[in-house]
Amino acid sequence: MDREKLNFTTKLAYGSGDMGPAITANILVFYLLYFFTNVAGLPAGLAGSILAISKIGDAINDPIAGILSDRTRSKWGRRIPWMLFGTIPFGIFFFLQWIVPEFSDDVTVNNWGQFAYYIAIAIFFNLAYTVVNLPYTALTPELTQDYNERTTLNSYRFAFSIGGSILSLMLAIFVFRAYDNPKQQYLVLGGVSTLISMVALLWCTLSIQERGASPILGRQGRKILGLGLTALGIAAIAYGIYNLTLGSAAIVLYGVLGIFIGIQLTAFGLTLTYAKVETHLSDSLAVEARNKANTVPTTPLKEQLKIAFTNKPFLYIIGIYLCSWLAVQLTASILIYFVVSWMGMDEAAFPLVAIAVQGTALVMLFFWKWVGEKLDKKVIYFLGSLIWIIAQGGLFLIQPGQTTLLYILAIMAGCGVSVAYLVPWSMIPDVIELDELNTGQRREGIFYSFMVLLQKFGLALALFLVGLALEWSGFVERPPGGEIPIQPDSALLAIRIAVAPLPTIALILGLILAYFYPITKEKHAEIRLKLEERKNNS
């Protein structure tokens, strides 16, 4: 079988598509609960309920978007149109989440008004997030059918994802230094993150071509836009460097932002200018395969549920993914409380702790990718998760003032977080091909949407319980504009349990499920050979 190798420009452009969602998701998971309680002044239980309700609404969106993208027929393909037209609403509704509206002088009335506002904005943002991110994730098996190349492609994807997460935390450091007012800090952070995220999504959307479909831009259009973006990027870098010399914290922020966006625009432009045609995505065989797929009748929702939940390997992947991301999200949502209230560190120090996790995860991503060329994916998952479990246990035992140890544990956790990014998403295309072998149809949208749906239901429950646990434990909210309150021992214990033992339990369950996952590298090769034989005989 010929390997479907991808060009560097394709991998780069594909990777950028996860940068926008990663930046917004990272800011939300690390800061949103804290923003609700310590900037907007909402009670912890009410804040947790906002996150839970919005996640449930988000989960409902996923299978609907997955089914609709599977049924979409356009000259650009099934996924790209959704990403293109969802980018602007995605940016607008993300920004609106960082406004603190005032509805009444009465605290109770104001809290309930804010509760309704944040739920409405979160529901619309999550809908826009699904519209751009779910079709994006379903692109992987369409771009290449090679086992190792998919792992490489996901390495690029998650390099941008983790890199975007680190970038968002670095921006938070500069923004918090430039502004003293917490409301202004989060509003500026939201605006900056929105701009970078939208550029990243357009980079992917305007550069990628689906199998057998036409690209949005032709060769001439790509070159013209590419040269324009490159020139604009170089100008933005020059503007940023100039502002760095002026000294003021606010001006330095503009300088850093100019350099970041300038580098992004320059890379975007060069990718368009020097993009190469992927032969296996645009030849007659690809067009024939697309036309054949478009003639397959749509499957009723009931039948799609049956397809997803009778695929045994898929159920294992759902469990592995749910456990991994439950550990990530639980730790991330409560970490700022742990750093500030238990460790006694400054709010400004929190991004550095988070960067220690994300930076290590980025470096280890390439190490695990290298290991993945020699070992099965589930072996990688085992190795990374065992290091991660040790780090989580250490977080429960660490004492206030042990700052150096905290950073060591954060680095260890990053080794495991990288496998949570890489492994489950590298496994799902193998399951899709097993389904194709059994049924004769490719249904990426079904599997990706239901995978994310169940993950979000689990996270909704977890975030709701964390918010309730904080409220029941006597957690003291920070009044708007006030000082950070000293928390009672009961609240500190609740924070420590949420940051360490609960994620550890989830990771152990994930290891058990990974042990029984049935598709090995050899099994996947057998599936691909049978599919190739069927294609040659048809």
Side-chain angles (χ1 to χ4, degrees), residues 30 59 137 167 179 194 201-202 221 283 302 331 338 362 521:
F30 278 123
T137 59
L167 173 61
Y179 300 97
T194 295
L201 282 167
L202 290 173
D283 59 16
K302 184 178 179 181
T331 305
F338 181 81
L362 177 61
K521 184 177 288 190

Side-chain angles (χ1 to χ4, degrees), residues 38-169:
N38 285 32
V39 180
L42 290 170
L46 213 55
S49 298
I50 294 172
L51 299 179
I53 293 169
S54 65
K55 281 293 180 186
I56 292 171
D58 189 19
I60 294 170
N61 295 333
D62 290 317
I64 297 172
I67 292 166
L68 290 176
S69 69
D70 276 349
R71 296 181 179 184
T72 298
R73 304 289 183 264
S74 79
K75 65 177 183 179
W76 297 333
R78 297 184 292 173
R79 320 296 178 188
I80 295 295
W82 289 86
M83 296 172 62
L84 178 64
F85 295 114
T87 296
I88 291 178
F90 170 86
I92 291 173
F93 286 111
F94 177 76
F95 176 73
L96 291 177
Q97 290 182 105
W98 305 103
I99 293 173
V100 181
E102 298 291 339
F103 293 99
S104 173
D105 292 333
D106 184 283
V107 174
T108 302
V109 173
N110 191 59
N111 284 346
W112 282 106
Q114 290 176 337
F115 176 79
Y117 171 82
Y118 288 124
I119 282 182
I121 294 299
I123 288 173
F124 284 117
F125 168 72
N126 286 325
L127 177 60
Y129 184 98
T130 298
V131 163
V132 298
N133 191 241
L134 184 62
Y136 167 78
T137 59
L139 280 173
T140 307
E142 296 196 20
L143 293 177
T144 178
Q145 297 178 355
D146 183 82
Y147 185 88
N148 288 328
E149 191 70 358
R150 282 174 175 171
T151 303
T152 302
L153 190 62
N154 275 297
S155 296
Y156 276 82
R157 172 190 171 185
F158 292 119
F160 272 90
S161 178
I162 300 173
S165 300
I166 295 170
L167 173 61
S168 68
L169 294 168

Side-chain angles (χ1 to χ4, degrees), residues 188-208:
V188 172
L189 181 60
V192 168
S193 301
T194 295
L195 179 61
I196 295 175
S197 298
M198 291 175 66
V199 172
L201 282 167
L202 290 173
W203 179 359
C204 175
T205 304
L206 297 179
S207 305
I208 291 292

Side-chain angles (χ1 to χ4, degrees), residues 138-439:
L139 280 173
T140 307
E142 296 196 20
L143 293 177
T144 178
Q145 297 178 355
D146 183 82
Y147 185 88
N148 288 328
E149 191 70 358
R150 282 174 175 171
T151 303
T152 302
L153 190 62
N154 275 297
S155 296
Y156 276 82
R157 172 190 171 185
F158 292 119
F160 272 90
S161 178
I162 300 173
S165 300
I166 295 170
L167 173 61
S168 68
L169 294 168
M170 292 174 63
L171 289 172
I173 293 173
F174 286 105
V175 169
F176 292 166
R177 286 177 179 172
Y179 300 97
D180 295 325
N181 186 319
K183 291 182 180 180
Q184 194 173 12
Q185 288 174 343
Y186 283 96
L187 192 63
V188 172
L189 181 60
V192 168
S193 301
T194 295
L195 179 61
I196 295 175
S197 298
M198 291 175 66
V199 172
L201 282 167
L202 290 173
W203 179 359
C204 175
T205 304
L206 297 179
S207 305
I208 291 292
Q209 176 184 357
E210 292 189 40
R211 187 180 295 266
S214 301
I216 292 178
L217 298 174
R219 289 188 181 182
Q220 192 65 24
R222 289 187 182 192
K223 286 188 177 181
I224 293 172
L225 181 59
L227 290 173
L229 288 171
T230 303
L232 185 61
I234 292 171
I237 293 172
Y239 170 80
I241 293 173
Y242 171 75
N243 275 281
L244 287 180
T245 64
L246 300 181
S248 165
I251 300 298
V252 168
L253 170 63
Y254 297 137
V256 170
L257 181 59
I259 292 173
F260 280 152
I261 293 180
I263 292 172
Q264 187 184 30
L265 290 174
T266 303
F268 184 0
L270 292 174
T271 301
L272 285 174
T273 304
Y274 295 103
K276 295 181 180 180
V277 176
E278 300 288 356
T279 305
H280 68 275
L281 298 180
S282 55
D283 59 16
S284 58
L285 290 176
V287 174
E288 182 183 343
R290 173 175 175 260
N291 292 336
K292 185 178 179 181
N294 287 345
T295 61
V296 175
T298 56
T299 308
L301 179 58
K302 184 178 179 181
E303 183 64 22
Q304 296 198 38
L305 287 167
K306 183 180 177 182
I307 290 166
F309 294 105
T310 55
N311 189 314
K312 187 176 178 182
F314 177 64
L315 297 179
Y316 281 113
I317 293 178
I318 286 176
I320 294 167
Y321 184 61
L322 175 59
C323 291
S324 301
W325 279 95
L326 197 55
V328 171
Q329 299 272 357
L330 276 172
T331 305
S333 62
I334 206 74
L335 187 60
I336 189 169
Y337 296 100
F338 181 81
V339 168
V340 173
S341 297
W342 174 251
M343 295 300 296
M345 298 169 67
D346 205 51
E347 281 180 298
F350 166 72
L352 295 175
V353 177
I355 287 173
V357 178
Q358 300 281 10
T360 306
L362 177 61
V363 173
M364 290 301 295
L365 197 63
F366 297 98
F367 171 75
W368 294 126
K369 180 259 177 185
W370 174 75
V371 174
E373 295 176 356
K374 299 169 177 56
L375 301 174
D376 277 343
K377 293 168 184 174
K378 67 180 183 180
V379 175
I380 302 173
Y381 185 82
F382 261 87
L383 294 173
S385 294
L386 288 173
I387 300 172
W388 192 359
I389 287 171
I390 294 170
Q392 292 295 141
L395 285 177
F396 186 73
L397 299 175
I398 195 172
Q399 297 299 309
Q402 295 179 318
T403 307
T404 303
L405 180 57
L406 176 63
Y407 282 106
I408 292 173
L409 293 173
I411 291 170
M412 290 176 64
C415 296
V417 168
S418 58
V419 300
Y421 280 97
L422 182 61
V423 173
W425 287 107
S426 297
M427 288 176 168
I428 193 70
D430 308 339
V431 168
I432 291 168
E433 287 180 340
L434 176 62
D435 175 65
E436 182 184 6
L437 181 64
N438 293 334
T439 67

